[in-house]
Amino acid sequence: MALNVIKISPVRPATPSLSPVILPLTFFDLLWLHLVPTNRVIFYKLTESSSSRDSFHSAILPKLERSLSLVLAHFLPLSGHLNWDPQAPKPHILISPHDAVSLTVAETDADFSKNSTKGIRPRKELRALVPELPVSSYSSPVMTLQITLFPSQGFCMGLSLHHAVADGKTVVKFLKSWAHICKHGAAPRDFDLPMVLDRTVVNVPAELEAKISRDKASVARSVSLHPAAEETDDLVKLTLELSHEDVEKLRERARRESTRSDLPHLSTFVVTYAYVLACVVKARGGEEEEDRLVPFMYVADFRQRLHPPVPVNYFGNCVLPINFYGYKATTFSGKDGFVNGVEILGDSIRGLSSRGAEESLWELYEEGLKWAEPGTPKVIVAGSNRFGIYGSDFGWGRPVNTENTSLTRNILFTMSERRDEIGGVEIGMCLKRCETDVFVSLFRNGL
């Protein structure tokens, strides 16, 4: 139940400029222009006394609002709008002096423990905790927020953000900065705030910038989003975990099963993705579907791959989708499925490091324009086990759970660090109920 919608403006200088700021989208931003919004929920457990209605509205909510206003001054584009004038060659972010972020304050009598569990539950239970992002054809707010109180239990923070404005690393930096200001009253020194908004620090060939602008404009001069997957009763959200010991077992298994002497670096990301990929393929098809194509994708951070490198405190997207379209289900469904995935992903990451950035950008962008067979879902990973999202402590302890709840027509799974163990991984997925039992069984018994 929504109680109120508050507009939170960034703290401005004593003599603020009355002129709007216009930030053009870069090549990396345009890649994600029509993708479904980034949706995230973060659950915080409170004591019974601090989560009473009176205590929440008199102490906790004002502190969250004030710190949000302070942090937005360091992340100004989040209070702006993404616009595309039909006469302009490409979209831009418009930051006006009186912009504000919409913050919905809500309350629910639902069970906090049930909603914040890391197990399996209907996805619809999470949907009400995420605010809508009101996108029109030519304009969209960059971000909307929602704080939902579970009286005498805790609260949930929900976020919806247009992906063309910021990638996962930028979003997590915003959340951790907001948390630090709320808890300590000042921004974290090691984050080098405010964020860098200068687009010239992203050194991409001008011809490539022009090409992607033409490609997007030729379809539609619009910031509207691709339709999300239909919200149905048979969709469930599940969170599974790999302990540090499990990850080490997967590394040893890859070394044992591979026949190659030049096995790529067995990072936690590579062995986890390969394991999830093999489990998904096995769970979704029988022998008659072994010849079906299995497209899949990960994203590569190009901040340190460009010349010169992009500043660590740059605001925006700087990741590129790395697509695979030519592999069949049989590659991952047999006894060598896991190690095949390890070698394919590991070789790809190693190849990025060995090629020049400009060559990689052109080749990988062209590869991404290919399409798999219509209706073929792509396995996509979002997030990272290196972001440190569980470090978002606003003063009431670390989150008990946090999840990406974006719903796409592909098979999206998310990866983050485990809350209570260094070296472990959390995997979040949304599957049809009929697929869930098979996938979970494969995941838990395949180690």
Side-chain angles (χ1 to χ4, degrees), residues 205-223:
E207 297 86 355
L208 187 57
E209 287 270 8
K211 176 172 173 49
I212 193 172
S213 296
R214 290 194 304 271
D215 290 345
K216 296 296 182 181
S218 67
V219 177
R221 282 181 162 84
S222 169
V223 298

Side-chain angles (χ1 to χ4, degrees), residues 59 61 63 97 102 128 145 161 205 277 292 298 319 325 329 334 342 358 376 379 391 396 398 405 440:
L61 185 59
K63 195 171 183 181
S102 175
L145 296 168
L161 179 134
L277 180 61
R292 75 184 189 280
Y298 71 90
V319 293
Y325 289 113
V342 167
E358 184 171 330
T376 303
V379 181
W396 302 282
R398 294 186 303 135
T405 62
V440 171

Side-chain angles (χ1 to χ4, degrees), residues 334-361:
K335 64 182 181 64
D336 296 328
F338 164 67
V339 74
N340 286 341
V342 167
E343 293 174 355
I344 292 166
L345 290 165
D347 285 343
S348 172
I349 293 172
R350 182 162 60 185
L352 287 176
S353 301
S354 64
R355 290 184 293 184
E358 184 171 330
E359 174 191 357
S360 296
L361 288 174

Side-chain angles (χ1 to χ4, degrees), residues 274-293:
Y275 187 62
V276 172
L277 180 61
C279 291
V280 166
V281 172
K282 292 175 184 177
R284 288 182 65 87
E287 293 182 2
E288 70 279 3
E289 297 188 16
E290 291 296 280
D291 284 337
R292 75 184 189 280
L293 290 175

